[in-house]
Amino acid sequence: MSERLQAPRGTQDVLGEQARARAALEGHARGVLEAAGYERIETPAFEATELFARGVGASTDVVQKEMYTFTDGGGRSLTLRPEGTAPICRAFLEHGMARRPAPVKLWYLSSFFRYERAQAGRYRQFWQIGAEVIGSADPSVDAETILLLAELLDVLGVGERRLRLSSLGSPPARIEYRERLTAHLLTRRDELAPEVAARIELNPLRAFDSDHAGTRAVMADAPILLDCIDDDDRSHFDAVRALLDDAGLAYDIDPTLVRGLDYYTRTVFEFESAALGAQRGVGGGGRYDGLMAQLGGPDTPACGWAAGVERILLAAGDPPPEPPVVDLYVGYAEPARRAVAFALARTARRAGLHAELELAGRSLKGQLKHADRLGARHVALVQADGVALKTMADGEQRELGDEAAATEIARLGSP
Ligand code: AMP
């Protein structure tokens, strides 16, 4: 016998109640986002590698070690998308969406791929719901996107959560800050975790993410970026905060919030759920005013977020939706009458009923047993000369001609 194969590490099969939970989540996401005028977008599962190298940032963990990159038959370097923002910016430019009234509001629900250490809440293929608002620098965009994510998490049952909020300012302040932070880290290099020490020059901000005790002590005394941002960035941040305050959304200002992708400017935020373990982040994002230009487009301000579907489902912990009610089970007594059974099932489905067909060639007794196991409300058994239509709740059974049975079944579908 051949060896049985398993799904790759860090991937998940989505079955049964998990699939239903995801379908419900998608319905809620669509409800919340489309009610606010966001349009669904789909981009390809893979893109030119350069899009992410340029868009996400060459010094990020994502680009340095987490991408699934391959060369295709034509010798091109392609990468399975590790995130959704750079592809959407690419699509925005490619389709001339700047001609639309600003801002352009888009949402997506797609799978993403990162070669990460697989554990609970962290996978190598995972799904994200995301929203992007492109073409407005107004602080109301930052506030609306944050409020929409909060609303979505509420609707999805992610109750106990914390919103961390900060501003990364604009590039000049960041460059200056980076130099100050680098100098601070270099003077205390010996106390840092080796991997942080090795990457001081490359990406000093990542030191804030470390769990290493020595590194944390060094970071406790580190200069704070939020103290260095310029007046425009500060008034933008204050306006965002005021809008969140007015909407009654609580947040913690957290100047240590650094997100793993390089493109952020000004506002950054992250929602954490107390219900999750080490992987607490359910969703986050921020403003990325420089990204479009980095991808060869005109300067275009934008803001967005992404939330992890698996983490939302873990954090919500709601009972999964019930399986659908089977309105009708259609069986048949002899293969010669199978076509009639197919026709009745089609009639029922067109009438809006959930109808299932006998597909395993069971005996009549076996068919009834199976219908019972499914919890079918009605059973239609196609016989040699007509149809026996049975209501399972009271056992009432009627013998009908083929056409009368079809009429009766269609009637079951009308309220
Ligand atoms: P990011 O794109 O890194 O800002 O992540 C946004 C959200 O996606 C996170 O808050 C998580 O909920 C989710 N996420 C990111 N990476 C993973 C992963 N490897 N597995 C599962 N969820 C993830």
Side-chain angles (χ1 to χ4, degrees):
M1 235 179 28
S2 313
E3 192 194 340
R4 265 206 340 228
L5 301 177
Q6 292 188 330
R9 198 171 153 67
T11 66
Q12 287 184 306
D13 296 313
V14 178
L15 310 173
E17 61 183 38
Q18 278 296 317
R20 285 196 297 279
R22 283 173 184 236
L25 177 145
E26 177 169 357
H28 287 307
R30 177 178 301 114
V32 168
L33 294 166
E34 296 193 354
Y38 288 63
E39 184 181 299
R40 177 98 180 231
I41 180 168
E42 297 282 354
T43 62
F46 55 82
E47 298 270 358
T49 301
E50 198 192 341
L51 175 67
F52 302 113
R54 272 210 263 162
V56 177
S59 67
T60 59
D61 281 355
V62 169
V63 170
Q64 289 246 312
K65 46 187 190 192
E66 295 174 0
M67 298 209 299
Y68 282 94
T69 296
F70 60 98
T71 306
D72 77 359
R76 296 170 202 88
S77 179
L78 300 173
T79 293
L80 295 182
R81 58 185 170 199
E83 61 93 55
T85 303
I88 286 177
C89 290
R90 189 227 6 98
F92 180 90
L93 294 171
E94 196 166 324
H95 301 286
M97 287 193 236
R99 287 192 297 269
R100 298 188 189 181
V104 173
K105 301 183 288 185
L106 303 167
W107 79 280
Y108 59 88
L109 172 61
S110 315
S111 58
F112 295 90
F113 308 85
R114 292 182 196 170
Y115 185 71
E116 294 204 77
R117 207 155 50 82
Q119 55 189 285
R122 185 187 276 175
Y123 310 98
R124 292 179 176 169
Q125 177 181 1
F126 57 96
W127 289 73
Q128 287 183 337
I129 308 172
E132 314 287 356
V133 179
I134 305 173
S136 168
D138 200 275
S140 54
V141 170
D142 313 43
E144 163 161 288
T145 50
I146 293 172
L147 288 167
L148 278 175
L149 179 51
E151 166 74 10
L152 183 60
L153 295 175
D154 276 347
V155 169
L156 295 172
V158 181
E160 228 185 293
R161 53 179 161 67
R162 173 179 170 226
L163 168 59
R164 297 160 69 206
L165 180 71
S166 191
S167 172
L168 299 180
S170 297
R174 248 161 97 177
I175 292 166
E176 195 189 314
Y177 170 73
R178 210 182 139 112
E179 281 165 11
R180 285 177 55 191
L181 180 63
T182 305
H184 173 78
L185 293 172
L186 287 174
T187 55
R188 296 178 62 180
R189 185 175 209 140
D190 296 348
E191 299 168 56
L192 300 172
E195 71 273 13
V196 175
R199 303 184 65 209
I200 293 178
E201 307 281 356
L202 197 59
N203 197 347
L205 278 156
R206 296 297 285 172
F208 282 110
D209 284 347
S210 175
D211 291 329
H212 176 261
T215 307
R216 292 184 78 93
V218 173
M219 298 322 284
D221 306 328
I224 296 295
L225 173 54
L226 198 51
D227 296 337
C228 312
I229 66 175
D230 69 25
D231 291 346
D232 283 351
D233 292 341
R234 177 150 312 277
S235 59
H236 183 94
F237 191 48
D238 290 344
V240 175
R241 291 183 55 183
L243 286 165
L244 297 182
D245 291 338
D246 289 344
L249 182 67
Y251 54 84
D252 296 325
I253 301 289
D254 183 352
T256 69
L257 178 59
V258 265
R259 300 191 39 81
L261 315 169
D262 262 1
Y263 48 60
Y264 290 110
T265 50
R266 293 192 160 175
T267 315
V268 283
F269 60 93
E270 190 155 281
F271 284 91
E272 291 180 349
S273 164
L276 298 174
Q279 308 302 319
R280 267 166 305 167
V282 262
R287 190 164 265 292
Y288 49 94
D289 291 344
L291 178 56
M292 209 67 82
Q294 232 162 288
L295 298 178
D299 271 330
T300 312
C303 183
W305 50 257
V309 167
E310 292 81 2
R311 293 207 197 154
I312 289 174
L313 293 174
L314 280 171
D318 275 348
E322 294 291 319
V325 173
V326 178
D327 298 306
L328 180 71
Y329 188 78
V330 189
Y332 52 89
E334 49 189 67
R337 296 276 286 155
R338 195 156 42 184
V340 178
F342 270 69
L344 287 179
R346 193 167 56 232
T347 301
R349 291 169 189 158
R350 284 186 179 163
L353 297 172
H354 176 126
E356 298 201 22
L357 264 173
E358 170 57 32
L359 295 175
R362 289 181 184 81
S363 68
L364 269 182
K365 201 170 140 211
Q367 293 184 33
L368 280 170
K369 220 166 119 187
H370 186 56
D372 201 43
R373 202 164 33 213
L374 288 175
R377 289 170 48 229
H378 303 275
V379 175
L381 275 183
V382 180
Q383 291 160 329
D385 54 352
V387 179
L389 189 60
K390 185 170 175 181
T391 304
M392 299 298 264
D394 56 12
E396 186 207 310
Q397 182 164 325
R398 279 175 295 164
E399 307 289 336
L400 302 165
D402 290 359
E403 281 191 16
T407 309
E408 198 53 34
I409 282 170
R411 196 175 296 154
L412 292 175
S414 36

